[in-house]
Amino acid sequence: MKLLTHNMLTCAIPDCVKKDAGFPLVITEVEELENEDNEFNKNFLVRMLPRLEYAALVDAAAACGVEDMPEEMPEDAEEQEEFLQALHGVLNNIDVVKGTMKCENCGREYPITNKVPHMLLNEDEV
Amino acid sequence: MKRKELEIALEQVDVFQDPKIHREQYPTGGTLASHMLFDICETYDDIDDKFVLDLGCGCGVLAIGASIMGAGRVIAADIDSEALDIAAQNLVDYELDTDIDLVQFDVVQFLHGKTMEEMLSEMEGSFTSSSSNSRRRDNRGKQGRKSNKGKGNRKGSKSSTSDGIDFNSLILDEEQFKEYAGKSIRNGMRRKTFDTVIMNPPFGTRNKGIDMLFLQAAFELSKGTVYSLHKSSTREFIRKRATEWGANCDVMAQMNYSLPKSYSFHKEKVKVIEVDLWRFDVSEIE
């Protein structure tokens, strides 16, 4: 699971959705991580800027050992080559192979195994 | 890249070894997939540098094709872990395992906060249990559909066949659909984050209406366009619903979909059905 993907995932428990409290899922455990070397694509990154939940990304990056992301996204982020490179690094290169995410509202945990986050609920949770 | 090259590349994708009937797991052939992806790319430029979701990805053919055609990032989502395992191996074989992320995700749960399995058993129960019959009558008696908010309109859940389950009752009407407009969070994924959703959903031959649930989920997940294959016989119904939900829609092409004899109940060796490739512009939908 790339941190870009993580930025899109929310808790699936209906009550959390109702309260608008199912985001972000906090990465509580990282058992295995890969650092990949994917191609930097500026067009794509700039396109994604307004859609990112940046605070959630900073926390997710920290959970994966990257502590030096700026706390706020620079206003002219699309012009800041260095920032975009760093952003690319956390969004597209960090890959959580095995770990756990947790909803802070309800405590529901979502496992990540073989890079795949599992968002399915059990029958008794709905 | 030429279309034929993409077709040949996609023909090599490993497909279901043991397809599940109730999930309507038919592979998307290389010819169909390559025509679909080339049209999307060349006519509408909706793949290059875009954030793309393959919803109900199965073994990942469309995701792999979208990535080859230059998508910025691709997420491929499916409910079935065996399909995802095959997809994961395909990504490794194509050296695309760092470009495409797989997510285990349930469309029904996304829309209704219930799992598909739970929904199935609940619906099956409602066909036989008298208590839920009376509940349905109660609902019918109420004015409007507000009483059903978030639960889907259940008035159509009257017919079931041994072939499958009728999901038509879960299709949101205009009002229910708008209930989520402007919200960012849904069950499992944020709304309106992808540029393009590309999918070959179940056609609803075994589970009536599941095709419409996929479409509805795709409309919520995409902020730009949705490309999807549907049986041509459902064309007018889809046009009506999609327009009600606020999309601009067009049939880009009609194609022949060859279903190989993957299930024992198929009599013909290859069954050909007519399908439409739809383009939905959902950018006006909040």
Side-chain angles (χ1 to χ4, degrees):
Chain A
M1 179 191 72
K2 304 285 194 317
L3 297 191
L4 173 64
T5 303
H6 169 262
N7 210 259
M8 304 303 150
L9 299 178
T10 73
C11 184
I13 301 285
D15 191 51
C16 296
V17 177
K18 220 175 286 168
K19 292 179 184 151
D20 209 16
F23 185 87
L25 296 174
V26 177
I27 300 177
T28 51
E29 212 175 325
V30 179
E31 288 177 58
E32 197 186 340
L33 203 65
E34 268 177 27
N35 234 314
E36 292 157 359
D37 187 18
N38 286 304
E39 199 184 329
F40 176 75
N41 179 340
K42 188 175 172 180
N43 276 348
F44 172 69
L45 274 181
V46 170
R47 161 185 295 281
M48 291 308 294
L49 288 176
R51 261 175 268 174
L52 292 176
E53 289 288 348
Y54 186 72
L57 180 66
V58 172
D59 288 347
C64 295
V66 179
E67 311 265 4
D68 57 353
M69 289 299 286
E71 254 178 61
E72 307 258 324
M73 193 192 287
E75 270 183 33
D76 56 345
E78 64 268 28
E79 311 290 333
Q80 303 257 355
E81 203 69 24
E82 205 180 318
F83 172 76
L84 290 178
Q85 288 286 354
L87 188 67
H88 165 68
V90 294
L91 279 179
N92 297 328
N93 284 343
I94 296 175
D95 208 343
V96 181
V97 179
K98 188 168 166 51
T100 310
M101 303 177 287
K102 186 176 178 179
C103 172
E104 290 213 302
N105 186 53
C106 69
R108 202 329 178 151
E109 292 189 333
Y110 295 89
I112 304 149
T113 56
N114 300 321
K115 300 186 180 180
V116 180
H118 299 278
M119 306 310 296
L120 302 191
L121 299 176
N122 303 321
E123 285 194 24
D124 58 2
E125 289 178 307
V126 291
Chain B
M1 175 181 264
K2 295 200 175 82
R3 191 203 58 77
K4 191 71 189 168
E5 289 171 334
L6 184 68
E7 174 178 338
I8 292 166
L10 294 180
E11 289 292 353
Q12 314 303 316
V13 174
D14 274 343
V15 297
F16 306 105
Q17 281 154 1
D18 190 13
K20 298 183 182 69
I21 294 170
H22 71 289
R23 300 219 193 276
E24 299 184 42
Q25 291 178 329
Y26 298 104
T28 315
T31 312
L32 186 75
S34 63
H35 275 288
M36 188 172 171
L37 292 160
F38 251 73
D39 257 14
I40 298 169
C41 230
E42 308 224 312
T43 314
Y44 297 102
D45 191 23
D46 280 328
I47 291 181
D48 200 29
D49 289 346
K50 302 294 192 292
F51 192 28
V52 176
L53 172 69
D54 178 355
L55 189 59
C57 65
C59 304
V61 176
L62 292 174
I64 288 168
S67 196
I68 291 174
M69 295 302 285
R73 279 280 138 190
V74 181
I75 293 182
D78 204 283
I79 189 173
D80 182 35
S81 45
E82 284 170 37
L84 288 168
D85 286 345
I86 301 171
Q89 188 54 49
N90 282 328
L91 299 189
V92 171
D93 294 346
Y94 279 76
E95 295 179 359
L96 290 171
D97 52 319
T98 66
D99 297 87
I100 300 172
D101 258 17
L102 300 172
V103 175
Q104 192 173 26
F105 176 80
D106 178 353
V107 165
V108 175
Q109 172 188 297
F110 172 78
L111 291 170
H112 300 278
K114 294 184 175 186
T115 64
M116 179 153 174
E117 261 60 39
E118 215 241 1
M119 204 65 94
L120 287 172
S121 60
E122 190 179 283
M123 290 169 93
E124 270 177 336
S126 76
F127 301 131
T128 50
S129 130
S130 59
S131 65
S132 61
N133 276 339
S134 62
R135 201 178 338 125
R136 277 216 305 279
R137 263 198 301 277
D138 288 344
N139 279 344
R140 256 204 305 270
K142 286 183 187 165
Q143 274 193 337
R145 284 161 179 169
K146 282 186 178 161
S147 59
N148 288 326
K149 258 191 179 178
K151 292 177 189 151
N153 169 19
R154 310 196 47 96
K155 68 172 182 175
S157 58
K158 54 187 181 296
S159 64
S160 166
T161 65
S162 56
D163 265 348
I165 303 293
D166 194 336
F167 277 100
N168 278 310
S169 59
L170 298 175
I171 299 169
L172 303 186
D173 63 24
E174 208 173 339
E175 187 187 333
Q176 291 163 335
F177 189 76
K178 283 181 181 159
E179 194 188 330
Y180 288 93
K183 290 190 180 172
S184 66
I185 287 180
R186 260 298 211 164
N187 309 75
M189 266 196 223
R190 279 166 56 202
R191 298 177 74 255
K192 297 287 170 190
T193 49
F194 295 93
D195 296 299
T196 307
V197 175
I198 300 178
M199 60 181 186
N200 177 14
F203 291 145
T205 46
R206 306 293 293 188
N207 299 305
K208 309 278 177 227
I210 190 74
D211 49 335
M212 298 308 291
L213 295 189
F214 267 77
L215 200 55
Q216 204 168 280
F219 279 22
E220 293 207 14
L221 287 161
S222 175
K223 70 196 294 292
T225 49
V226 174
Y227 294 88
S228 184
L229 291 167
H230 296 273
K231 281 197 298 186
S232 297
S233 57
T234 60
R235 188 180 295 176
E236 288 320 309
F237 181 67
I238 286 176
R239 193 188 303 282
K240 179 173 172 291
R241 277 292 182 195
T243 308
E244 273 177 17
W245 293 338
N248 290 312
C249 52
D250 273 309
V251 176
M252 291 165 63
Q254 189 177 45
M255 299 164 168
N256 287 327
Y257 194 103
S258 311
L259 303 176
K261 185 184 183 313
S262 39
Y263 302 121
S264 55
F265 60 81
H266 288 158
K267 290 194 183 73
E268 305 94 336
K269 211 169 182 189
V270 176
K271 186 173 161 60
V272 178
I273 57 170
E274 289 182 327
V275 295
D276 293 338
L277 169 56
W278 282 90
R279 178 181 197 267
F280 302 94
D281 180 339
V282 297
S283 57
E284 309 266 301
I285 304 174
E286 269 185 75

